[in-house]
Amino acid sequence: LVDKSDDHSSGMNISEITRELKLVRGSSSRRIVREKVLKMQEMGVLVENTVGKSTSYAPSERVLKSWYSILGFRTSESKDGHK
């Protein structure tokens, strides 16, 4: 999802997430993916981006900062010494 959100600045839609999941797992269900995505959105893991009729989902800023920190990447905020 992170890699794909870089390609599409607004993230991935349910169908794209389902296709990617099918490549990894061998099977997937749009209904189940939608349920999980909505649950992750409620938890603050994903954010919804809606443009017209198109809705996509991307990792939240909080999650990205956590991943960058875990991986040892410095964000522009941490370089300046500000949070």
Side-chain angles (χ1 to χ4, degrees), residues 14 17 33-41 46 57:
I14 297 293
I17 296 169
V33 169
R34 182 181 312 279
E35 289 173 7
K36 300 286 185 183
V37 164
L38 294 177
K39 191 176 286 189
M40 287 191 281
Q41 185 182 0
L46 297 177
Y57 301 88

Side-chain angles (χ1 to χ4, degrees), residues 16 32 34 39 51 56 71 73 76-77 83:
E16 292 169 327
I32 300 293
R34 182 181 312 279
K39 191 176 286 189
V51 178
S56 60
L71 294 172
F73 295 117
S76 58
E77 292 175 353
K83 285 190 172 187

